[in-house]
Amino acid sequence: MQGKLNKTVFFIGFMGAGKTTVARKMAKICSCECVDMDYYVERITGKKVREIFAEGGEEAFRKIEAEVLEEVSTGVAPRFISCGGGTVLNEKAPAIMHENGVVLHLYSDASNSARRISDTSTRPLFKDVQNAKKVFRERLPIYEACADYTVDTTNKWSNQVTKEVFSTLVKAGVIEETQE
Ligand code: S3P
């Protein structure tokens, strides 16, 4: 697989959906940049996401996350952006994403994500599967409303998901397939 990316792609979806991994793989395939919002937050604050939650709560994290979304979205060559699972909770987020690119939902429910997340302490909002199921139920309509495209990741390895993301974006004209 090889291609040229014509528009920025925002990956949204629940914790553990594989947004970071798939964005990295897609960036390799399209020889472009990828940005991981959680890492970006950690880099500019010098703190781990879980430390920001512990010190200032979810509110403090969401404030930084909203600023980061504006910063990484605008004025650059097309690239892949892996958002945090809660980035879409910011009411301005869908408009920012759609003004600057397309939105792809990597669908993963709480049980599927639980199989992927080895250390839930890095995700303060995941906690346990029971809590994660509740958060997922609240989030799903928000992901669905924001997404231009959805790829189901249930029981799939990241290489399979990457293939499906590639073909979805080629079909949509967001990636122009090129010869290897
Ligand atoms: C969150 C998801 C996390 C991270 C933070 C909050 C959420 O990102 O931004 O812990 O609210 O769903 P991942 O989706 O990359 O785990």
Side-chain angles (χ1 to χ4, degrees):
M1 283 179 289
Q2 196 171 291
K4 181 179 168 292
L5 184 66
N6 296 324
K7 276 184 198 165
T8 289
V9 177
F10 294 87
F11 285 106
I12 63 165
F14 202 51
M15 294 167 269
K19 301 179 292 286
T20 304
T21 308
V22 174
R24 279 199 194 130
K25 286 178 187 274
M26 288 304 302
K28 260 197 177 158
I29 290 168
C30 296
S31 306
C32 67
E33 261 188 56
C34 70
V35 181
D36 181 87
M37 286 191 47
D38 286 340
Y39 287 135
Y40 200 98
V41 167
E42 292 185 345
R43 219 177 56 217
I44 62 168
T45 60
K47 289 176 190 167
K48 293 279 173 205
V49 169
R50 75 178 132 73
E51 290 170 336
I52 302 172
F53 268 83
E55 287 168 19
E58 183 174 353
E59 202 189 321
F61 177 76
R62 296 291 174 222
K63 200 164 166 276
I64 305 165
E65 189 182 40
E67 288 164 12
V68 164
L69 179 66
E70 298 221 20
E71 198 169 314
V72 301
S73 297
T74 49
V76 283
R79 55 188 179 171
F80 292 96
I81 298 177
S82 52
C83 300
T87 306
V88 287
L89 299 179
N90 162 6
E91 56 181 25
K92 289 190 194 151
I96 294 173
M97 294 179 192
H98 289 117
E99 270 163 31
N100 293 287
V102 298
V103 182
L104 194 148
H105 175 202
L106 287 182
Y107 177 94
S108 174
D109 67 15
S111 313
N112 188 59
S113 287
R115 287 194 286 275
R116 290 207 185 112
I117 300 175
S118 49
D119 177 8
T120 52
S121 75
T122 59
R123 267 105 164 172
L125 293 182
F126 197 91
K127 293 183 190 140
D128 52 67
V129 182
Q130 246 6 71
N131 183 69
K133 281 188 174 165
K134 183 176 158 285
V135 177
F136 177 75
R137 274 197 301 274
E138 292 162 4
R139 292 273 178 88
L140 184 59
I142 304 174
Y143 295 142
E144 285 177 335
C146 188
D148 296 303
Y149 315 103
T150 299
V151 169
D152 187 357
T153 75
T154 311
N155 295 330
K156 290 175 193 158
W157 296 105
S158 61
N159 280 349
Q160 176 62 28
V161 175
T162 303
K163 271 190 202 157
E164 292 182 25
V165 166
F166 183 81
S167 67
T168 301
L169 294 176
V170 168
K171 257 188 229 145
V174 175
I175 291 177
E176 200 181 300
E177 195 167 9
T178 54
Q179 294 303 318
E180 300 209 19

